[in-house]
Amino acid sequence: MVGVAASASNLHVSPANVRWGYLAGVALLGFPGTFLLNAAELHRVGRVTGAPFRFLEALKVVLLAAAANLLPLPGAAITRVAAFRAKGITYRKGGGLVLGLFFLWAGLAGLLLGGAIAIHGNASAGMAAGV
C-alpha cells in the first residue's frame, strides 16, 4: 500500500481522476477471475500430466499458493510442486511443470508488453500494460 500511495503521489493522481467503476470491476471480477483461471490451469495441467486435480481441489491449491506468496520465499511455486508431489509426480517433474508454466506466463506478458509499446509508441505505456 505504501508503494501504491508513493506512486500515486508521484504521478499526481487525485481521487477525482480515478475511474472508480473500473477499479470496482477489477476488484469484483479481476481478483476472483484470476483465481478461477489459475485453478482451471492447474486442473488442466494435472489432467495432462496424469495427476488430475478436481476443480475445487485445484482452487484450494491456488488460494493457498497465493497466501504462500506473502512469505519471503517462492511460496506459490513450492505449494504447487507439493500439490503435484501429493498426486504422485516427482519433485523434478513438478518443478519442471511449475517452471514451464512460469515461462509461458512470462512470454505472454512480454508479448503483451511488446504489443503495447508497438501500439502506443512509448515505453511507459508499454510498461503499464505489461504490469
Side-chain angles (χ1 to χ4, degrees), residues 42-128:
L42 186 62
H43 173 71
R44 296 302 280 162
V45 169
R47 287 184 64 193
V48 168
T49 60
F53 290 91
R54 293 185 318 268
F55 184 79
L56 290 178
E57 186 180 17
L59 183 60
K60 179 181 174 184
V61 171
V62 166
L63 291 171
L64 289 173
N69 261 347
L70 298 174
L71 300 171
L73 49 98
I78 292 169
T79 303
R80 287 186 171 104
V81 170
F84 280 122
R85 183 66 190 128
K87 293 289 186 177
I89 300 292
T90 64
Y91 286 119
R92 179 182 212 143
K93 188 174 180 182
L97 289 168
V98 170
L99 191 61
L101 290 172
F102 164 77
F103 283 119
L104 282 172
W105 279 109
L108 179 62
L111 183 67
L112 291 173
L113 175 62
I117 291 172
I119 290 170
H120 294 288
N122 78 35
S124 62
M127 294 291 283

